[in-house]
Structures are given as C-alpha cells and as structure tokens.
Amino acid sequence: MSSTDKTNVPLEAAYDEYDRNLRRRSVIIADAVALVCMPAGILLDLMVYPEMVGPFLAIRLGVDAILLVIVLVMFATRHLANTGLVVAAGIVSTLVVNLSFCLMIAKTEGALSPYYAGINLVILIMATFLPWKAWETLLVCLVSLFVYAWVCVAHPNFDLREVESVFFNNCYFIVITAVICVTSTWFRSRGRFEEFRLRHQLDVQNRQLQDLDRIKTRFFSNVSHELRTPLTLILGPVESLLGRGEGLEERVHSALILVHRNTLRLLKLINDLLELTRLDQGAELLRSRTFAAGPFIKGIVESVRHLGLAKQIRIKTSPGPDALPVFGDPARLEKVLLNLLTNAIKYTSTGGSVEVGWAQAEEGFSMWVADTGVGIPAEDLERIFDRFHQVRSNAANQVQGVGIGLSLAKEIVEQHHGRIEVRSRVGEGSTFTVFLPAGREEESDDVPESMTPAGEEPFEKAFRSADRTWRNPLPADGLELPAVGTGEQTVLVADDEVDMLQYVVSVLSEDYRVVQTRTGSNVADLVAEHEPALVVLDWMMPGKDGLTVCRELRQDERRRDLKIVLLTARIDEKSKLEALEAGADDFLTKPFSTTEVRTRIANLIRSGRLQADLRRRNEELSDAIRQLRETEAMLIQSEKMNAVGSLSAGLLHEINNPLNYTLTAIGIANAQGTALTPMLRELLADVEEGMSRIRDVVTNLRSFAYPEKPGTESRFSPSEAIEAARRILAAELRDVEFEENGGGQILMRGQKTQMTHLFMNLFSNAAKAMERARSPVRRIRVDMQELDGALEIRVSDSGPGIPPDALSRVFEPFFTTAEVGSGLGMGLSICHTIVSSHGGRIRAENTPGGGAAVLIEIPTEKPTEIHGHH
C-alpha cells in the first residue's frame, strides 16, 4: 500500500462507517414507507382488477412480511460492522417489491397490465431514499427490466403483433427511468463522499486546533507559574531597597521606582493570563460561600482609592445594605470588581468621578461601577467583553492594554451563573452592572476569607499589589514636558508610554539636550521650534502614530538633514521595510540596551552633521561658480564697451566737422529770408532735420565715449536733472502728460549732466514707444523715494510695454526693439553705464496695467569718487 493509501485509510474507514449507518437508516425508512404503501395498494386492485383482490392482497402482505423481517434484521445488526449485509438488504427490499408487481402482471394481462408503472415508481423511490452507488442502481434496474420482459413474453396471451407498441413503450420508460436513476445516484454518491471528506477534514482540523489550544493553555499556565516566582523575588529586594529611600541617590531611587512599577504591571498581566488559562482548563473550582456585600465592596474601593487620588478623581460609594448577602467566591469576585474599578479610573479624565453601588435584585444581588469617562462607541459595545478586544477611539487610545480584564470579569461572573451588562455613551461615561443569583445556604462552603490557592501564600501581598496598580498616564495638559539636559545637540523624543519616555530621556539627557512629548500631533511644531538634530518616535502613539509623523517630516524639504529613529516592538521584515520606506533612518526594537541607544544615536547625529557640512560646501561651491560666471559676463560686457568707445571716438572725429559745416550753411541759408522760395525752404528744413538727427547720434556717442571727468560730481536734487531733461525734450514731450512724485528735498551726489542725459534717454524712449503704439493716453510718471541711504527712482509709461523675451537684453549696446532705422540701440545702454558709474543698479519690467517701467537705485551719498566708463 502506497503512502497516499495509508494516508487515506482513516478517511475511508470513517466513510465506510458513515455510509453503513446511513444505508441502514435509509433501508429502515424506505421499508417502513413500503410497509404502509403496499397494503394501501388494495384500493387500486379494487378499481382495476376486482376479481384479483384476494390473491393480490396475499401477495402484498407477503411482501410486507419480508420487508418487516429485513427491518428487524437491520435493527438487530445495527452494532455490527457488516456493510455487505446492509447493501444486500437495500437491494433485496427493492427487488422483492418489484418482483411482486411482476407477479401481479403475470396473473393479469401481461404486457397490457398497468402495473408496470409500479416498477418505475419503486425504482424512483428506492433510488431517492437509499444512498446507492451507480452499480447498485444499475443492478436493480437490469433485474427488474429482465423479469418484467420475461413475464410479458411468457404470458399465454402474448402476441407481439397485438402488444408490440405497448410492450416496447413500457420497456422504454423503464429504461429511461433506469438511466435517470443511475446517473443521479452516481453524482449523489460522489457528492456524498466529497461532503463527508470535507466534514471529516474539518473535524480533524478542529481536533488539532483543540489540541493546540490545550497545549497553548497548558504552556501559558506553566509559563505564568514559572514567571510569577522570579518576578515576586525581584519585587522583594526592590521594595527592600526602596524602604531605605533616604540613603539612595536620586537617580538610583528613580530607577528602582521604574523597576518596581513595571514589575507590578508585568505581574498583573501574568495573573490575568493565568486566571484565563485556569478558566479554559475548567480546573478553577469556586470556593463559594455567603458573605456580606457592604464590607467586601467598601474594602476593595478603599484599596484602589490611591489610584483615583493620583488622577484627582473622586471615588464614592452609593451604599446599599451592609448585611446584604452575596453567594460566591470572594477571591474571584474581588478580581471582577477590581477590573471594573481600575478600568473606570483609567478612562476617566482628571476631575471626574467613579461611583460604586450594590442592591438587592430580582436574581439575588447586583453591584455596579459607573464613571464619567470617555465612554464606549456603540460599535464596540457588542465586543467589549471579547478576549483581547480593545476600544480604538482617540480618547481610549490614551490608555493602552491587552484586552483581558473585561473578558476575565465576564467569564468569572458567568462561572457564578450570573451576567454582566454595560451601558455607555461616548463622552458621558459608562456603567457596568453585575447580577449574581441568590445562593442556597446548604451550598455554602465555610472557606476562610483569607484562603488562597496552595503555594501562593508567601507571594499573596505582591499579587494583590499587582492587581491594584496600573500605568498612570499623564494628564492631557502634561503631554509636553520640559526640556532636560545641556548637550550641544538637541534630540526630540516622542513616546506616549510614561516609563519608556522617562527611560529614553534619562539615557539621552547625559549627552544631549532632550525635548520630550507624549503625542505625535505636536512633533512638527516642536521640530520647528527647537530644530533638533534627531527625533525618536514611538511607532504606536495616540493621535498620530510614529510612522505618520515620520512621513510628514520627510515631506518638508527643510528637514533634509533631520535624522529619525522609530521605536517599536515589531520585529517582522514587513514592519522594518515599512519604516524605511516612510523615511526612517533607523529603528530601535524593544527591548534594547542603553549602550545600543547611545551608540546608534551618536552615529546618526554624526552622520547628519557630516551631511549638513557636505551640503553647505556644495552650496558654497555653487555660489562660487555662479559668481565666476557673472564676472565672466561682466568682463565680456566691459570689452564690448571698450570696443564701442573706440569706434565712437573715431566716428566723432570724422563726422563732427562736416556736421558743423552743414548746419552752419543751413543757418546762413535760412537767414536769407524772403530770398528763398517756399520749395527751397521746405528742402532746407528736411536737410536740417536730418542733420539734427545725426547731431543727436553724435551727442549720444560723445556721452558714451567721453564721459565727464572724475571729480566733477556735486550735490543736487534729482528733480533738477528731470526738469532739465524735460526742457531739452519740450518739443518731443509736448502732448505727453507728465507726473512727478516724491522728489521734494531729496539730494544726491553725482554728475548732474550725466543724470540729465539719463532722464532724456528714458523720456525719449517712452515718448517714441507710445507714439509707435498710438496709445490713447500718453503719460510718463516719475516716482522717487529715499530708503536706507539709497534713492529709488521709477520711470513708467502708458505704452505697449517691452516684449518678455527682450527684457533681459534691453541694456545691451545696439540692441533695440524698434524698427530698423529708428535708432541705434544706444540709449538704454548709456543709461546702464551712467547708473553703474554712480554705484547703482537699473532694471526694466512691464507694469500689470500695461506699459513699461525702469527702476533705478542710486546711493544718495557716494563713499568714493564717481568714475567714468571706458
């Protein structure tokens, strides 16, 4: 037998047993139906063959006798594992009924007898009731068909020519019925086996899970027992050392308090787990007795009152009858009340209240714990007593737990045949009520109230202390704590767990200045305020968890050098990858050592400092490269200007004398007065206009090539230069609206002639641009103001503005936006030279409302002489 066969043996054996029992039940049911239906068929005999009622009744009763014997055999052998007997019983039952119908057909009209329909009916009914396989159905159908055909052919009145159609019709329908039944039973048998296989597999898995659950429960029980002893032995020495508090250093005393508090916390968790495992094992027998409710409840309330005082919560009792009898196990019921009380204190804010009461109830006894805390959302009420279920609302997340307490309370109450109910509204508080049935006095067991399970007496004090302690969170206004430490670097630590925060801060404060907070919501603000070199984030925090805060910090480009460390108890690869993808530089897995914390954080801060230095050096290098490019551009511009100056000097020498001769001649000609004809006068005017344009060009070139000599500067008002420029350009500006603002008493030091030339070029350019664009309103506006020792001048117009692609080139020599022949492109270049020689800056821009503006900034007092350009 192969390994696969061996694996299937248990399944096949189980299926054989299941199939045998199912067949036996089916045979009994089918035969029981036949026992009733066969005698009932006498009614049909009376209608069809009344003369055969007697013989047919005998046949029917005989069939019933056989079926009854088969039923009795099935009952008698129900404990025997004999599948063949059960299979044979089903086949024999069906054939007996069908053969009885064949016998009736033989005693009547043979092929013409209507009793052939009974054969079809029996096959259909038996194939439906009995869990046959396909071969069994086929066997019954073939035997039934053969016997029917033999009876018809052997009948004395059989004449094929007379009964051919009826005979073949009947045989056809029996064959069709057989095909349907065989096909149906084939699919049903396969489906039945598959269904059983799945159920069997599920049963096997359930048994395995139950075995695993028992192993887990036993493991938890063993581990809890093993852990309780060393934890208690830790508590003993710690409490002894704390008892000598006066002789301990402050840091040692704080460390011992931390150890003591967390040892009690761990011991309470182990106690609860052990209690659950005992309940699962069913080995925790109740030591029930009747005791007075008042002293019992008041004593427990007083034992936890210090927890309420720590949070400034008022704990009060709503007294019922002190002598009201309670029947139950005091030790177990103490755990119930303690869990309800500590939960109420945990989830009640500072200044709230907790009320405990008891009374007579219909069931016997009730007690309740009501608080004014955060409340429980409606969607969590149904699952509040489930094991390990925790309410995850924002308010409830301020306090962490594992979800054992309420589950344990509910199971203990149910063990007392009572019930526990809860009513709650978010923001208004919760009320937990316990109902216990009244006990009968004869059930009372005189167990001393102080009795504890065997082996726990030496540690009872520690266990009771653990049940009455929990991690007291800081109040809402204490989420931000003062910075500690005086190190050069600042580290921000965010952790909602007080003890963990205290531990990490105490480790880091020796080397760094540490800013601390208990929530992730204000980390970004603290980072902006304190600019730490590194942030330590707990993964699980209320409001915003560490992962979310990490992502938000990484989205801020200003925090590129900030190092982020995630603090987590997760050790799986997925969590690690998730942390790194969120932008964390490193993560510390709990538990961790002091040396590990210090080393990792020191390395990260050193790495961050090196990265910041490298980035600063790169920025300095980039600035240096940019300055070199600007210097190169200035040198190129200087060479251009020198070339233009040389060219201008040569042109002036060659053009100036003929220009003067021509203008002098025109002046003499114009002096002739009436001697000139109108045509000649018009011709001389045109020549004079052309010569004037040439003179203007020469004048510009002279100003560009031969600036005023150093030392000719003076103190003057810019308004004087503006007025001089307007007078010179009076004809060109005759239809231009002019507005000057802010000149006033402003004085500047410089070369007045050059400044006049500057304004002439600006006004002339503006007038020409407005004339070319045919602006409906022609306006030039000059705004001046003095700020921080500098004169700011803005000359704007209402013209078409400067094309955007030309803004960066308008001050280049010979660059112009006007049509060819309309200018040399020297005006704005000369303006740039004049402003630069005065130690100022000039730039051009387009105004939002239309038009162009030139902005000039010139120092009002020059520290050195104004030098001309070359």
Side-chain angles (χ1 to χ4, degrees), residues 667-683:
I668 294 173
N670 285 330
Q672 299 300 319
T674 57
L676 298 176
T677 64
M679 181 179 296
L680 185 58
R681 285 183 181 279
E682 183 176 354
L683 180 60

Side-chain angles (χ1 to χ4, degrees), residues 716-731:
F716 62 92
S717 171
S719 297
E720 297 175 7
I722 293 172
E723 183 61 28
R726 289 183 61 189
R727 284 197 305 269
I728 295 172
L729 298 175

Side-chain angles (χ1 to χ4, degrees), residues 348-368:
T348 299
S349 303
T350 300
S353 64
V354 175
E355 181 180 0
V356 182
W358 66 94
Q360 185 78 37
E362 293 182 3
E363 293 92 335
F365 168 77
S366 68
M367 62 179 175
W368 63 89

Side-chain angles (χ1 to χ4, degrees), residues 471-585:
R471 180 173 57 93
N472 188 7
L474 294 178
D477 56 0
L479 295 179
E480 291 189 27
L481 302 171
V484 297
T486 57
E488 180 182 350
Q489 299 287 342
T490 298
V491 175
L492 172 62
V493 181
D495 198 319
D496 65 313
E497 195 163 344
V498 178
D499 293 337
M500 182 59 67
L501 179 65
Q502 179 182 344
Y503 169 66
V504 175
V505 169
S506 66
V507 170
L508 299 180
S509 59
E510 298 180 8
D511 304 312
Y512 310 101
R513 175 177 175 267
V514 183
V515 179
Q516 48 187 327
T517 179
R518 292 193 58 248
T519 176
S521 303
N522 63 347
V523 168
D525 296 334
L526 292 175
V527 168
E529 179 182 354
H530 298 279
E531 296 185 353
L534 181 140
V535 177
V536 180
L537 298 172
D538 182 32
W539 189 308
M540 301 299 294
M541 286 189 293
K544 287 183 181 178
D545 60 27
L547 210 61
T548 303
V549 176
C550 181
R551 291 193 181 100
E552 291 179 355
L553 291 176
R554 285 301 180 223
Q555 290 173 358
D556 190 347
E557 287 295 325
R558 298 171 298 175
R559 312 300 174 202
R560 291 175 299 179
D561 297 324
L562 179 65
K563 296 299 180 181
I564 301 175
V565 178
L566 277 176
L567 206 60
T568 177
R570 302 181 179 184
I571 59 174
D572 56 287
E573 285 298 320
K574 182 180 178 182
S575 297
K576 293 179 181 179
L577 292 175
E578 194 175 0
L580 295 175
E581 289 172 357
D585 296 284

Side-chain angles (χ1 to χ4, degrees), residues 800-863:
I802 304 172
D805 57 346
L807 276 173
S808 60
R809 301 188 60 195
V810 292
F811 296 106
E812 294 181 7
F814 310 117
F815 178 82
T816 179
T817 60
E819 296 179 359
V820 177
S822 299
L824 291 178
M826 295 293 298
L828 289 179
S829 177
I830 291 172
C831 291
H832 182 276
T833 303
I834 292 172
V835 172
S836 297
S837 69
H838 282 74
R841 295 179 298 176
I842 185 171
R843 61 186 177 89
E845 66 180 18
N846 288 317
T847 57
V854 175
L855 290 88
I856 304 168
E857 183 179 333
I858 298 178
T860 52
E861 288 292 340
K862 295 279 291 178

Side-chain angles (χ1 to χ4, degrees), residues 296-370:
F296 172 75
I297 295 176
K298 289 178 181 179
I300 294 175
V301 170
E302 289 302 319
S303 70
V304 297
R305 192 174 294 279
H306 66 285
L307 300 180
L309 292 174
K311 288 188 67 176
Q312 300 177 11
I313 294 173
R314 188 162 59 98
I315 302 178
K316 57 183 178 179
T317 56
S318 178
D322 278 357
L324 182 65
V326 182
F327 182 77
D329 186 336
R332 304 277 80 77
L333 293 178
E334 179 183 7
K335 280 192 171 291
V336 173
L337 187 54
L338 280 174
N339 273 314
L340 297 181
L341 272 170
T342 53
N343 269 359
I345 298 173
K346 283 180 185 179
Y347 296 105
T348 299
S349 303
T350 300
S353 64
V354 175
E355 181 180 0
V356 182
W358 66 94
Q360 185 78 37
E362 293 182 3
E363 293 92 335
F365 168 77
S366 68
M367 62 179 175
W368 63 89
V369 176

Side-chain angles (χ1 to χ4, degrees), residues 8-20 193 196 200:
N8 291 332
V9 166
L11 173 62
E12 292 176 355
Y15 181 72
D16 286 342
E17 181 181 359
Y18 163 77
D19 185 59
R20 182 169 58 252
F193 177 78
F196 178 82
H200 181 268

